[in-house]
Amino acid sequence: MKVIGLIGGMSWESSVEYYRFINEEVKRELGGLHSAKCLLYSVDFEEIERYQSKGDWKKAGEVLGDVALSLEKGGADFVVICTNTMHKVVDDIQSKIKIPLLHIADTTAAKIKEQGIRSVGLLGTKYTMEQDFYKSRLESSGINVIVPNDEEREIVNKIIYDELCLGVVQQASRDYYKKVIQGLIESGAEGIILGCTEIGLLIKPEDSNFPIFDTTYIHAREAVNMSLNK
């Protein structure tokens, strides 16, 4: 079993889900008392969010690159960034280490293509929805990406940072997300990407009649596959 290096804490609410699901899947695969071999470095999200809001992605990349290097030195065989947004600095992180980094957009694109879907709606932070670092990765796999309108993106982002990252799950916010999802479907989306690792705390597969791609669980499942050499 390979050792998974987890860069977490962005937010810790979703990092908990990574840790839980990875261990559940290893137990399911191997049985008995088996659990995952993993190292978790949980950062202070207040620091990282400050760099995000200032647009200082270089500094954020330096911090997370140092974290990845610590995981490599600690014995990790590969690295998983437990957040969609910070894949914006994936090249800065990868440049600090010699071990592989499992990209969340690549694992998600593979799952979407498995289902023969060519057009998806994307929910996430404003950085993920508006900038190209994530969308272009999906589009390079032949997947068309549709995002909410300006006002909806602002509210979707606000709910992530002001509620979900703080562990607050409200029915009114779930209803709003469901309305946004319906709008994306009406705009031609055949499925919906939960492109922020906290959104799965709010939206479940049963909240839509169309396929829901929860990046947290897709990413975590592929980490297990990589750990078990599957």
Side-chain angles (χ1 to χ4, degrees):
M1 190 189 305
K2 292 180 179 177
V3 178
I4 306 170
L6 300 166
I7 302 179
M10 301 169 284
S11 67
W12 69 262
E13 298 283 349
S14 61
S15 300
V16 168
E17 295 301 304
Y18 267 92
Y19 184 75
R20 179 181 62 80
F21 185 73
I22 285 171
N23 279 287
E24 286 178 349
E25 287 298 288
V26 168
K27 181 174 67 175
R28 187 178 66 82
E29 290 280 353
L30 302 181
L33 296 176
H34 282 289
S35 55
K37 289 184 178 180
C38 62
L39 299 172
L40 170 62
Y41 192 124
S42 189
V43 303
D44 179 3
F45 191 30
E46 177 74 21
E47 177 189 5
I48 301 301
E49 193 281 328
R50 190 162 58 245
Y51 296 137
Q52 290 177 347
S53 61
K54 290 180 178 179
D56 194 350
W57 297 99
K58 184 177 186 300
K59 183 60 178 177
E62 289 175 359
V63 171
L64 296 186
D66 288 342
V67 169
L69 183 59
S70 293
L71 291 170
E72 181 179 47
K73 290 179 176 178
D77 292 301
F78 64 96
V79 169
V80 171
I81 311 170
C82 302
T83 164
N84 287 271
T85 299
M86 296 316 297
H87 279 73
K88 179 176 173 67
V89 295
V90 70
D91 291 339
D92 296 321
I93 297 171
Q94 184 68 78
S95 70
K96 290 278 189 83
I97 56 177
K98 296 181 176 64
I99 57 177
L101 190 154
L102 183 62
H103 200 294
I104 196 168
D106 293 346
T107 61
T108 302
K111 184 62 65 173
I112 291 167
K113 293 178 74 173
E114 275 180 18
Q115 297 196 25
I117 289 174
R118 301 180 63 88
S119 185
V120 293
L122 173 62
L123 298 176
T125 65
K126 62 183 179 182
Y127 311 110
T128 301
M129 292 186 287
E130 295 175 359
Q131 299 180 17
D132 284 337
F133 71 91
Y134 195 89
K135 292 186 293 183
S136 62
R137 197 97 178 192
L138 297 170
E139 291 165 348
S140 68
S141 294
I143 299 167
N144 179 52
V145 180
I146 304 169
V147 297
N149 64 39
D150 292 353
E151 179 183 356
E152 290 171 339
R153 292 199 301 271
E154 284 297 323
I155 297 173
V156 165
N157 183 78
K158 182 176 176 59
I159 289 170
I160 290 170
Y161 282 96
D162 292 356
E163 298 177 20
L164 301 180
C165 286
L166 298 173
V168 177
V169 178
Q170 300 195 79
Q171 184 60 45
S173 296
R174 179 177 291 111
D175 292 341
Y176 185 81
Y177 267 58
K178 289 169 70 173
K179 180 174 78 72
V180 173
I181 288 171
Q182 184 57 37
L184 292 170
I185 296 298
E186 291 171 1
S187 296
E190 302 169 85
I192 301 296
I193 298 175
L194 306 186
C196 171
T197 53
E198 283 80 28
I199 298 179
L201 303 172
L202 185 69
I203 295 296
K204 306 298 181 185
E206 58 267 23
D207 289 318
S208 173
N209 293 326
F210 287 76
I212 294 288
F213 297 96
D214 188 333
T215 54
T216 299
Y217 295 107
I218 293 170
H219 201 202
R221 176 62 246 188
E222 190 56 35
V224 171
N225 289 343
M226 197 165 173
S227 175
L228 300 181
N229 299 302
K230 292 189 66 179

